[in-house]
Amino acid sequence: MRCFFALVLLVPSIPVRAQQAFTEEAVARGLSYVVQQNSDLYGAGVALVDLDGDLDADCVLLGRADGVVGVYENDGTGHFIDHSATSGIDADPRNSAVACADYDNDGDLDIYISRLIGDDALYRNDGGFTFTDVSTQAGILPGGAGMGIAWGDYDNDGWLDLYVSNRTGFGGDPTLNRLYHNLGDGTFEEVAQTLNVHDDDAPTLLCTWLDYDEDGDADLYLGNDKGSGPNEDNALFQNQGDGTFVEVTQQTGTAANVDCMGIAIGDFDHDGGKDLYVTNIPLGNVLLMSNGDGTFSDRTAEAGVGSFEIGWGCAFFDYDHDMIDDLYVCNMIAPNRFYRYQGSFPCTDIAADCGIEDGTGTSFCMALADVDLDGDLDLLVQSADVNIRLFINQKGHLRSWARFHVVGEGANRHAVGATLKVTSGGVTQTREIHAGANYKSDNERIVHVGLAGETMIDEVRVLWPGGTTRTLRNYGASQTWTIYPPSMLGDGDFDGDIDLDDIRLAAQCFTGPGPGRITPGCEVFDMDGDGDIDFDDIVAMGGRRIVPAR
């Protein structure tokens, strides 16, 4: 026995490899979908969005060789049920991009698919993961080399409008970019040239709505191919507040001078401004950081995020909940990048260490969501000629976090375009809700922030499109919270008034005074936003015209 222990002591120790931050689990979770339509179409889009209203992220996939659109239901555990064969969405190998929005105000997300060759299509969500093509009756025009898609309410009438970027000139198609104004009756009117946001004949690859100046309306940023030449820079159009636009590209410093193939939006340095990251050919990607006065500065070299590969989809997100966003970049014929920012530049590429570099193949598109509802963000990556990749985050949930389901006003039920500023532990994180910001792809609408070791959210400030604001304080960490606009507060049964039934419901949520005492499900009764349900809230409900219970 002594000899045995002596031999054990002489054996060199075997290093134990720590679990990587992400594990690839697509097939194990029900996503069997091989993407093959990549190089010809410059990638095919993916979406992680809630199609059935149960607050988990379902999945839409484009790019299979036979053109079948993958439609998958999340069962609430991060596993997926395949509804592709019965979805009603036409199989078409020319499918290019996907973005989802509730265009008809019936409470569920509808699907728009662009096509680089052929006509785009709008599919109405009929429930039960079935869809109907309503393109013609909705006024979607034929033609156009469709690339990126973005939904946003540019005129603040409550109805979501749609911008479609066309790679004008591709295959001889002269169609310019299109802006579809939602008329509120299930139809659209094309107004891009009327509003002078068609960007002439630029080969536009992608588009995004963002409120860069945080004045409550949607500005428009376009990413153009061939911008490393003299004439096809990116373009920023500032919304004047009345549904008209002025191009402000040069004075804001957002031209970028790149062959733009991806746009990420986030507050990288926590100064409250929205920063932009745009991908490029090997001349180098560009990081444009907000100066806080409506202008941007190129800080790529300082940050060390040039990449110098052919970049495509990209996104900021806080994978490890240290309250600092990191940056993921999809690359062509090269490993993907994942730049970790730890509060000072330069950043460090940790993609290989995290297990999400995706080899040396080609990745075009990506999407983010908390697929398994454990509090951290998971990553869906579409790469050429392999099964879709679903990287499940194994690290983020070990630290505190918060998720926010923001309820919109009017027909914009999912609060697309709203900005949140979440403060905890002296750090403020800025988020904006988009519908189609990633390259050809779409993320879930739930807003996610990491909170490191904080147990309390000091403050959440919300700016809805149109200018409505609300501030919440002293909400607990590691919860999913619903944030209602002021007009809905107190109406616990959501029947349009405050009556004795609502008072009874509020009484069931009553906590008495004290920060952090509120629980999920009772947020609608926190009239003063102080993190409890007490007599002040009941009195405030009474001050908002109570009608007799029916």
Side-chain angles (χ1 to χ4, degrees), residues 327-361:
L327 174 62
Y328 191 76
V329 184
C330 292
N331 284 324
M332 187 174 189
I333 322 175
N336 296 340
R337 309 281 195 196
F338 192 36
Y339 292 107
R340 187 179 188 190
Y341 177 47
Q342 294 183 281
S344 62
F345 292 147
C347 300
T348 303
D349 180 9
I350 60 170
D353 293 337
C354 289
I356 52 176
E357 78 280 15
D358 214 24
T360 57

PDB file of all heavy atoms in Angstrom, residues 327-361:
ATOM      1  N   LEU A 327     -17.841  42.192 -27.313  1.00  0.00           N
ATOM      2  CA  LEU A 327     -18.166  42.400 -28.721  1.00  0.00           C
ATOM      3  C   LEU A 327     -17.871  41.145 -29.535  1.00  0.00           C
ATOM      4  O   LEU A 327     -16.734  40.687 -29.587  1.00  0.00           O
ATOM      5  CB  LEU A 327     -17.342  43.575 -29.265  1.00  0.00           C
ATOM      6  CG  LEU A 327     -17.429  43.877 -30.757  1.00  0.00           C
ATOM      7  CD1 LEU A 327     -18.843  44.252 -31.171  1.00  0.00           C
ATOM      8  CD2 LEU A 327     -16.453  45.000 -31.110  1.00  0.00           C
ATOM      9  N   TYR A 328     -18.930  40.580 -30.152  1.00  0.00           N
ATOM     10  CA  TYR A 328     -18.785  39.387 -30.988  1.00  0.00           C
ATOM     11  C   TYR A 328     -18.826  39.787 -32.449  1.00  0.00           C
ATOM     12  O   TYR A 328     -19.631  40.622 -32.855  1.00  0.00           O
ATOM     13  CB  TYR A 328     -19.906  38.389 -30.693  1.00  0.00           C
ATOM     14  CG  TYR A 328     -19.680  37.030 -31.322  1.00  0.00           C
ATOM     15  CD1 TYR A 328     -18.762  36.135 -30.773  1.00  0.00           C
ATOM     16  CD2 TYR A 328     -20.386  36.631 -32.446  1.00  0.00           C
ATOM     17  CE1 TYR A 328     -18.542  34.881 -31.341  1.00  0.00           C
ATOM     18  CE2 TYR A 328     -20.183  35.376 -33.019  1.00  0.00           C
ATOM     19  CZ  TYR A 328     -19.262  34.511 -32.461  1.00  0.00           C
ATOM     20  OH  TYR A 328     -19.047  33.274 -33.024  1.00  0.00           O
ATOM     21  N   VAL A 329     -17.940  39.151 -33.257  1.00  0.00           N
ATOM     22  CA  VAL A 329     -17.823  39.480 -34.681  1.00  0.00           C
ATOM     23  C   VAL A 329     -17.768  38.195 -35.493  1.00  0.00           C
ATOM     24  O   VAL A 329     -16.918  37.332 -35.251  1.00  0.00           O
ATOM     25  CB  VAL A 329     -16.551  40.312 -34.961  1.00  0.00           C
ATOM     26  CG1 VAL A 329     -16.499  40.719 -36.425  1.00  0.00           C
ATOM     27  CG2 VAL A 329     -16.493  41.546 -34.059  1.00  0.00           C
ATOM     28  N   CYS A 330     -18.679  38.076 -36.466  1.00  0.00           N
ATOM     29  CA  CYS A 330     -18.648  36.957 -37.405  1.00  0.00           C
ATOM     30  C   CYS A 330     -17.674  37.276 -38.543  1.00  0.00           C
ATOM     31  O   CYS A 330     -17.684  38.391 -39.073  1.00  0.00           O
ATOM     32  CB  CYS A 330     -20.034  36.710 -37.998  1.00  0.00           C
ATOM     33  SG  CYS A 330     -21.245  36.100 -36.814  1.00  0.00           S
ATOM     34  N   ASN A 331     -16.867  36.283 -38.940  1.00  0.00           N
ATOM     35  CA  ASN A 331     -15.867  36.481 -39.982  1.00  0.00           C
ATOM     36  C   ASN A 331     -16.014  35.474 -41.114  1.00  0.00           C
ATOM     37  O   ASN A 331     -16.512  34.363 -40.919  1.00  0.00           O
ATOM     38  CB  ASN A 331     -14.449  36.374 -39.407  1.00  0.00           C
ATOM     39  CG  ASN A 331     -14.054  37.615 -38.636  1.00  0.00           C
ATOM     40  OD1 ASN A 331     -14.425  38.725 -39.000  1.00  0.00           O
ATOM     41  ND2 ASN A 331     -13.311  37.422 -37.555  1.00  0.00           N
ATOM     42  N   MET A 332     -15.526  35.867 -42.270  1.00  0.00           N
ATOM     43  CA  MET A 332     -15.532  35.023 -43.459  1.00  0.00           C
ATOM     44  C   MET A 332     -14.155  34.392 -43.639  1.00  0.00           C
ATOM     45  O   MET A 332     -13.135  35.093 -43.638  1.00  0.00           O
ATOM     46  CB  MET A 332     -15.893  35.863 -44.685  1.00  0.00           C
ATOM     47  CG  MET A 332     -16.086  35.079 -45.959  1.00  0.00           C
ATOM     48  SD  MET A 332     -16.687  36.188 -47.271  1.00  0.00           S
ATOM     49  CE  MET A 332     -17.080  34.991 -48.539  1.00  0.00           C
ATOM     50  N   ILE A 333     -14.130  33.076 -43.746  1.00  0.00           N
ATOM     51  CA  ILE A 333     -12.900  32.304 -43.949  1.00  0.00           C
ATOM     52  C   ILE A 333     -11.865  32.631 -42.871  1.00  0.00           C
ATOM     53  O   ILE A 333     -10.669  32.774 -43.140  1.00  0.00           O
ATOM     54  CB  ILE A 333     -12.298  32.537 -45.350  1.00  0.00           C
ATOM     55  CG1 ILE A 333     -13.391  32.653 -46.404  1.00  0.00           C
ATOM     56  CG2 ILE A 333     -11.370  31.391 -45.730  1.00  0.00           C
ATOM     57  CD1 ILE A 333     -12.891  33.003 -47.785  1.00  0.00           C
ATOM     58  N   ALA A 334     -12.331  32.766 -41.637  1.00  0.00           N
ATOM     59  CA  ALA A 334     -11.449  33.053 -40.508  1.00  0.00           C
ATOM     60  C   ALA A 334     -12.230  32.819 -39.222  1.00  0.00           C
ATOM     61  O   ALA A 334     -13.459  32.893 -39.216  1.00  0.00           O
ATOM     62  CB  ALA A 334     -10.945  34.497 -40.565  1.00  0.00           C
ATOM     63  N   PRO A 335     -11.535  32.534 -38.124  1.00  0.00           N
ATOM     64  CA  PRO A 335     -12.251  32.371 -36.853  1.00  0.00           C
ATOM     65  C   PRO A 335     -12.990  33.648 -36.468  1.00  0.00           C
ATOM     66  O   PRO A 335     -12.540  34.757 -36.766  1.00  0.00           O
ATOM     67  CB  PRO A 335     -11.125  32.064 -35.855  1.00  0.00           C
ATOM     68  CG  PRO A 335      -9.993  31.563 -36.690  1.00  0.00           C
ATOM     69  CD  PRO A 335     -10.090  32.293 -37.984  1.00  0.00           C
ATOM     70  N   ASN A 336     -14.126  33.470 -35.816  1.00  0.00           N
ATOM     71  CA  ASN A 336     -14.857  34.622 -35.302  1.00  0.00           C
ATOM     72  C   ASN A 336     -14.106  35.233 -34.123  1.00  0.00           C
ATOM     73  O   ASN A 336     -13.312  34.569 -33.461  1.00  0.00           O
ATOM     74  CB  ASN A 336     -16.267  34.213 -34.887  1.00  0.00           C
ATOM     75  CG  ASN A 336     -17.089  33.724 -36.061  1.00  0.00           C
ATOM     76  OD1 ASN A 336     -16.780  34.015 -37.215  1.00  0.00           O
ATOM     77  ND2 ASN A 336     -18.140  32.971 -35.779  1.00  0.00           N
ATOM     78  N   ARG A 337     -14.377  36.503 -33.891  1.00  0.00           N
ATOM     79  CA  ARG A 337     -13.740  37.220 -32.778  1.00  0.00           C
ATOM     80  C   ARG A 337     -14.739  37.405 -31.636  1.00  0.00           C
ATOM     81  O   ARG A 337     -15.939  37.536 -31.865  1.00  0.00           O
ATOM     82  CB  ARG A 337     -13.285  38.608 -33.221  1.00  0.00           C
ATOM     83  CG  ARG A 337     -12.451  38.654 -34.492  1.00  0.00           C
ATOM     84  CD  ARG A 337     -11.029  38.264 -34.251  1.00  0.00           C
ATOM     85  NE  ARG A 337     -10.174  38.647 -35.371  1.00  0.00           N
ATOM     86  CZ  ARG A 337      -8.961  38.176 -35.567  1.00  0.00           C
ATOM     87  NH1 ARG A 337      -8.438  37.319 -34.714  1.00  0.00           N
ATOM     88  NH2 ARG A 337      -8.247  38.566 -36.614  1.00  0.00           N
ATOM     89  N   PHE A 338     -14.221  37.439 -30.410  1.00  0.00           N
ATOM     90  CA  PHE A 338     -15.021  37.845 -29.257  1.00  0.00           C
ATOM     91  C   PHE A 338     -14.137  38.715 -28.382  1.00  0.00           C
ATOM     92  O   PHE A 338     -13.275  38.228 -27.652  1.00  0.00           O
ATOM     93  CB  PHE A 338     -15.526  36.627 -28.488  1.00  0.00           C
ATOM     94  CG  PHE A 338     -16.574  36.960 -27.457  1.00  0.00           C
ATOM     95  CD1 PHE A 338     -17.514  37.941 -27.671  1.00  0.00           C
ATOM     96  CD2 PHE A 338     -16.622  36.260 -26.258  1.00  0.00           C
ATOM     97  CE1 PHE A 338     -18.483  38.240 -26.729  1.00  0.00           C
ATOM     98  CE2 PHE A 338     -17.584  36.539 -25.300  1.00  0.00           C
ATOM     99  CZ  PHE A 338     -18.519  37.532 -25.536  1.00  0.00           C
ATOM    100  N   TYR A 339     -14.340  40.018 -28.518  1.00  0.00           N
ATOM    101  CA  TYR A 339     -13.489  40.978 -27.833  1.00  0.00           C
ATOM    102  C   TYR A 339     -14.022  41.257 -26.436  1.00  0.00           C
ATOM    103  O   TYR A 339     -15.136  41.766 -26.275  1.00  0.00           O
ATOM    104  CB  TYR A 339     -13.417  42.280 -28.623  1.00  0.00           C
ATOM    105  CG  TYR A 339     -12.679  42.160 -29.938  1.00  0.00           C
ATOM    106  CD1 TYR A 339     -13.364  42.167 -31.147  1.00  0.00           C
ATOM    107  CD2 TYR A 339     -11.288  42.045 -29.965  1.00  0.00           C
ATOM    108  CE1 TYR A 339     -12.684  42.067 -32.355  1.00  0.00           C
ATOM    109  CE2 TYR A 339     -10.604  41.931 -31.166  1.00  0.00           C
ATOM    110  CZ  TYR A 339     -11.312  41.940 -32.355  1.00  0.00           C
ATOM    111  OH  TYR A 339     -10.632  41.832 -33.546  1.00  0.00           O
ATOM    112  N   ARG A 340     -13.200  40.949 -25.447  1.00  0.00           N
ATOM    113  CA  ARG A 340     -13.573  41.236 -24.061  1.00  0.00           C
ATOM    114  C   ARG A 340     -13.043  42.606 -23.661  1.00  0.00           C
ATOM    115  O   ARG A 340     -11.856  42.903 -23.817  1.00  0.00           O
ATOM    116  CB  ARG A 340     -13.022  40.170 -23.117  1.00  0.00           C
ATOM    117  CG  ARG A 340     -13.550  40.354 -21.696  1.00  0.00           C
ATOM    118  CD  ARG A 340     -13.047  39.307 -20.736  1.00  0.00           C
ATOM    119  NE  ARG A 340     -13.731  39.413 -19.454  1.00  0.00           N
ATOM    120  CZ  ARG A 340     -13.376  38.767 -18.357  1.00  0.00           C
ATOM    121  NH1 ARG A 340     -12.348  37.933 -18.394  1.00  0.00           N
ATOM    122  NH2 ARG A 340     -14.048  38.934 -17.228  1.00  0.00           N
ATOM    123  N   TYR A 341     -13.946  43.415 -23.154  1.00  0.00           N
ATOM    124  CA  TYR A 341     -13.593  44.752 -22.662  1.00  0.00           C
ATOM    125  C   TYR A 341     -13.693  44.729 -21.143  1.00  0.00           C
ATOM    126  O   TYR A 341     -14.736  44.364 -20.591  1.00  0.00           O
ATOM    127  CB  TYR A 341     -14.547  45.773 -23.266  1.00  0.00           C
ATOM    128  CG  TYR A 341     -14.357  47.202 -22.800  1.00  0.00           C
ATOM    129  CD1 TYR A 341     -13.104  47.781 -22.750  1.00  0.00           C
ATOM    130  CD2 TYR A 341     -15.450  47.989 -22.431  1.00  0.00           C
ATOM    131  CE1 TYR A 341     -12.933  49.095 -22.340  1.00  0.00           C
ATOM    132  CE2 TYR A 341     -15.300  49.307 -22.028  1.00  0.00           C
ATOM    133  CZ  TYR A 341     -14.034  49.853 -21.985  1.00  0.00           C
ATOM    134  OH  TYR A 341     -13.871  51.158 -21.581  1.00  0.00           O
ATOM    135  N   GLN A 342     -12.629  45.106 -20.457  1.00  0.00           N
ATOM    136  CA  GLN A 342     -12.613  45.075 -19.005  1.00  0.00           C
ATOM    137  C   GLN A 342     -12.496  46.465 -18.394  1.00  0.00           C
ATOM    138  O   GLN A 342     -11.963  46.630 -17.303  1.00  0.00           O
ATOM    139  CB  GLN A 342     -11.481  44.166 -18.513  1.00  0.00           C
ATOM    140  CG  GLN A 342     -11.710  42.704 -18.881  1.00  0.00           C
ATOM    141  CD  GLN A 342     -10.634  41.793 -18.344  1.00  0.00           C
ATOM    142  OE1 GLN A 342      -9.542  41.706 -18.899  1.00  0.00           O
ATOM    143  NE2 GLN A 342     -10.926  41.106 -17.249  1.00  0.00           N
ATOM    144  N   GLY A 343     -13.001  47.448 -19.104  1.00  0.00           N
ATOM    145  CA  GLY A 343     -13.038  48.801 -18.567  1.00  0.00           C
ATOM    146  C   GLY A 343     -11.943  49.693 -19.076  1.00  0.00           C
ATOM    147  O   GLY A 343     -11.950  50.897 -18.821  1.00  0.00           O
ATOM    148  N   SER A 344     -10.968  49.127 -19.787  1.00  0.00           N
ATOM    149  CA  SER A 344      -9.924  49.936 -20.400  1.00  0.00           C
ATOM    150  C   SER A 344      -9.478  49.249 -21.687  1.00  0.00           C
ATOM    151  O   SER A 344      -9.586  48.025 -21.832  1.00  0.00           O
ATOM    152  CB  SER A 344      -8.731  50.109 -19.451  1.00  0.00           C
ATOM    153  OG  SER A 344      -8.149  48.851 -19.150  1.00  0.00           O
ATOM    154  N   PHE A 345      -9.004  50.044 -22.620  1.00  0.00           N
ATOM    155  CA  PHE A 345      -8.522  49.519 -23.896  1.00  0.00           C
ATOM    156  C   PHE A 345      -7.026  49.176 -23.789  1.00  0.00           C
ATOM    157  O   PHE A 345      -6.315  49.766 -22.976  1.00  0.00           O
ATOM    158  CB  PHE A 345      -8.750  50.558 -24.996  1.00  0.00           C
ATOM    159  CG  PHE A 345     -10.198  50.802 -25.323  1.00  0.00           C
ATOM    160  CD1 PHE A 345     -10.630  52.064 -25.720  1.00  0.00           C
ATOM    161  CD2 PHE A 345     -11.130  49.775 -25.231  1.00  0.00           C
ATOM    162  CE1 PHE A 345     -11.958  52.294 -26.033  1.00  0.00           C
ATOM    163  CE2 PHE A 345     -12.459  50.000 -25.543  1.00  0.00           C
ATOM    164  CZ  PHE A 345     -12.870  51.265 -25.951  1.00  0.00           C
ATOM    165  N   PRO A 346      -6.539  48.235 -24.605  1.00  0.00           N
ATOM    166  CA  PRO A 346      -7.236  47.516 -25.665  1.00  0.00           C
ATOM    167  C   PRO A 346      -8.036  46.324 -25.145  1.00  0.00           C
ATOM    168  O   PRO A 346      -7.821  45.847 -24.023  1.00  0.00           O
ATOM    169  CB  PRO A 346      -6.095  47.044 -26.560  1.00  0.00           C
ATOM    170  CG  PRO A 346      -4.959  46.828 -25.603  1.00  0.00           C
ATOM    171  CD  PRO A 346      -5.092  47.920 -24.584  1.00  0.00           C
ATOM    172  N   CYS A 347      -8.961  45.841 -25.987  1.00  0.00           N
ATOM    173  CA  CYS A 347      -9.732  44.648 -25.690  1.00  0.00           C
ATOM    174  C   CYS A 347      -8.902  43.404 -26.026  1.00  0.00           C
ATOM    175  O   CYS A 347      -7.897  43.476 -26.729  1.00  0.00           O
ATOM    176  CB  CYS A 347     -11.019  44.639 -26.507  1.00  0.00           C
ATOM    177  SG  CYS A 347     -12.108  46.049 -26.210  1.00  0.00           S
ATOM    178  N   THR A 348      -9.360  42.260 -25.529  1.00  0.00           N
ATOM    179  CA  THR A 348      -8.691  40.989 -25.765  1.00  0.00           C
ATOM    180  C   THR A 348      -9.637  40.026 -26.461  1.00  0.00           C
ATOM    181  O   THR A 348     -10.792  39.875 -26.043  1.00  0.00           O
ATOM    182  CB  THR A 348      -8.237  40.365 -24.427  1.00  0.00           C
ATOM    183  OG1 THR A 348      -7.395  41.283 -23.734  1.00  0.00           O
ATOM    184  CG2 THR A 348      -7.473  39.067 -24.669  1.00  0.00           C
ATOM    185  N   ASP A 349      -9.169  39.361 -27.519  1.00  0.00           N
ATOM    186  CA  ASP A 349      -9.989  38.379 -28.220  1.00  0.00           C
ATOM    187  C   ASP A 349      -9.977  37.065 -27.439  1.00  0.00           C
ATOM    188  O   ASP A 349      -8.939  36.408 -27.321  1.00  0.00           O
ATOM    189  CB  ASP A 349      -9.450  38.162 -29.636  1.00  0.00           C
ATOM    190  CG  ASP A 349     -10.268  37.148 -30.433  1.00  0.00           C
ATOM    191  OD1 ASP A 349     -11.340  36.736 -29.951  1.00  0.00           O
ATOM    192  OD2 ASP A 349      -9.838  36.777 -31.535  1.00  0.00           O
ATOM    193  N   ILE A 350     -11.140  36.676 -26.902  1.00  0.00           N
ATOM    194  CA  ILE A 350     -11.234  35.465 -26.088  1.00  0.00           C
ATOM    195  C   ILE A 350     -12.157  34.432 -26.732  1.00  0.00           C
ATOM    196  O   ILE A 350     -12.643  33.530 -26.048  1.00  0.00           O
ATOM    197  CB  ILE A 350     -11.730  35.804 -24.666  1.00  0.00           C
ATOM    198  CG1 ILE A 350     -13.114  36.470 -24.714  1.00  0.00           C
ATOM    199  CG2 ILE A 350     -10.731  36.684 -23.938  1.00  0.00           C
ATOM    200  CD1 ILE A 350     -13.759  36.601 -23.340  1.00  0.00           C
ATOM    201  N   ALA A 351     -12.401  34.548 -28.033  1.00  0.00           N
ATOM    202  CA  ALA A 351     -13.339  33.641 -28.701  1.00  0.00           C
ATOM    203  C   ALA A 351     -12.940  32.178 -28.532  1.00  0.00           C
ATOM    204  O   ALA A 351     -13.778  31.321 -28.226  1.00  0.00           O
ATOM    205  CB  ALA A 351     -13.448  33.998 -30.177  1.00  0.00           C
ATOM    206  N   ALA A 352     -11.662  31.870 -28.739  1.00  0.00           N
ATOM    207  CA  ALA A 352     -11.207  30.483 -28.622  1.00  0.00           C
ATOM    208  C   ALA A 352     -11.344  29.975 -27.199  1.00  0.00           C
ATOM    209  O   ALA A 352     -11.773  28.838 -26.964  1.00  0.00           O
ATOM    210  CB  ALA A 352      -9.765  30.366 -29.103  1.00  0.00           C
ATOM    211  N   ASP A 353     -10.999  30.804 -26.220  1.00  0.00           N
ATOM    212  CA  ASP A 353     -11.115  30.402 -24.814  1.00  0.00           C
ATOM    213  C   ASP A 353     -12.564  30.129 -24.430  1.00  0.00           C
ATOM    214  O   ASP A 353     -12.834  29.259 -23.602  1.00  0.00           O
ATOM    215  CB  ASP A 353     -10.539  31.487 -23.900  1.00  0.00           C
ATOM    216  CG  ASP A 353      -9.036  31.653 -24.060  1.00  0.00           C
ATOM    217  OD1 ASP A 353      -8.383  30.693 -24.520  1.00  0.00           O
ATOM    218  OD2 ASP A 353      -8.521  32.733 -23.732  1.00  0.00           O
ATOM    219  N   CYS A 354     -13.488  30.879 -25.041  1.00  0.00           N
ATOM    220  CA  CYS A 354     -14.908  30.713 -24.719  1.00  0.00           C
ATOM    221  C   CYS A 354     -15.578  29.610 -25.522  1.00  0.00           C
ATOM    222  O   CYS A 354     -16.715  29.233 -25.243  1.00  0.00           O
ATOM    223  CB  CYS A 354     -15.654  32.020 -24.960  1.00  0.00           C
ATOM    224  SG  CYS A 354     -15.279  33.326 -23.782  1.00  0.00           S
ATOM    225  N   GLY A 355     -14.894  29.116 -26.561  1.00  0.00           N
ATOM    226  CA  GLY A 355     -15.464  28.062 -27.377  1.00  0.00           C
ATOM    227  C   GLY A 355     -16.415  28.536 -28.451  1.00  0.00           C
ATOM    228  O   GLY A 355     -17.243  27.770 -28.951  1.00  0.00           O
ATOM    229  N   ILE A 356     -16.305  29.812 -28.862  1.00  0.00           N
ATOM    230  CA  ILE A 356     -17.239  30.353 -29.846  1.00  0.00           C
ATOM    231  C   ILE A 356     -16.517  30.977 -31.038  1.00  0.00           C
ATOM    232  O   ILE A 356     -17.095  31.794 -31.760  1.00  0.00           O
ATOM    233  CB  ILE A 356     -18.177  31.401 -29.207  1.00  0.00           C
ATOM    234  CG1 ILE A 356     -17.386  32.472 -28.453  1.00  0.00           C
ATOM    235  CG2 ILE A 356     -19.175  30.729 -28.290  1.00  0.00           C
ATOM    236  CD1 ILE A 356     -18.250  33.581 -27.890  1.00  0.00           C
ATOM    237  N   GLU A 357     -15.275  30.545 -31.289  1.00  0.00           N
ATOM    238  CA  GLU A 357     -14.573  31.078 -32.450  1.00  0.00           C
ATOM    239  C   GLU A 357     -15.082  30.440 -33.739  1.00  0.00           C
ATOM    240  O   GLU A 357     -14.927  30.997 -34.831  1.00  0.00           O
ATOM    241  CB  GLU A 357     -13.064  30.868 -32.326  1.00  0.00           C
ATOM    242  CG  GLU A 357     -12.562  29.474 -32.642  1.00  0.00           C
ATOM    243  CD  GLU A 357     -12.745  28.477 -31.511  1.00  0.00           C
ATOM    244  OE1 GLU A 357     -13.515  28.742 -30.559  1.00  0.00           O
ATOM    245  OE2 GLU A 357     -12.098  27.408 -31.565  1.00  0.00           O
ATOM    246  N   ASP A 358     -15.719  29.268 -33.641  1.00  0.00           N
ATOM    247  CA  ASP A 358     -16.363  28.581 -34.761  1.00  0.00           C
ATOM    248  C   ASP A 358     -15.376  28.215 -35.861  1.00  0.00           C
ATOM    249  O   ASP A 358     -15.673  28.338 -37.053  1.00  0.00           O
ATOM    250  CB  ASP A 358     -17.514  29.426 -35.322  1.00  0.00           C
ATOM    251  CG  ASP A 358     -18.656  28.538 -35.826  1.00  0.00           C
ATOM    252  OD1 ASP A 358     -18.766  27.411 -35.349  1.00  0.00           O
ATOM    253  OD2 ASP A 358     -19.420  28.992 -36.693  1.00  0.00           O
ATOM    254  N   GLY A 359     -14.183  27.787 -35.470  1.00  0.00           N
ATOM    255  CA  GLY A 359     -13.217  27.248 -36.412  1.00  0.00           C
ATOM    256  C   GLY A 359     -12.699  28.259 -37.418  1.00  0.00           C
ATOM    257  O   GLY A 359     -12.603  29.442 -37.156  1.00  0.00           O
ATOM    258  N   THR A 360     -12.397  27.782 -38.595  1.00  0.00           N
ATOM    259  CA  THR A 360     -11.858  28.652 -39.639  1.00  0.00           C
ATOM    260  C   THR A 360     -12.798  28.721 -40.837  1.00  0.00           C
ATOM    261  O   THR A 360     -12.388  29.006 -41.957  1.00  0.00           O
ATOM    262  CB  THR A 360     -10.484  28.144 -40.104  1.00  0.00           C
ATOM    263  OG1 THR A 360     -10.618  26.792 -40.564  1.00  0.00           O
ATOM    264  CG2 THR A 360      -9.476  28.198 -38.971  1.00  0.00           C
ATOM    265  N   GLY A 361     -14.082  28.451 -40.621  1.00  0.00           N
ATOM    266  CA  GLY A 361     -15.069  28.514 -41.693  1.00  0.00           C
ATOM    267  C   GLY A 361     -15.557  29.920 -41.929  1.00  0.00           C
ATOM    268  O   GLY A 361     -14.854  30.896 -41.670  1.00  0.00           O
TER     269      GLY A 361
END
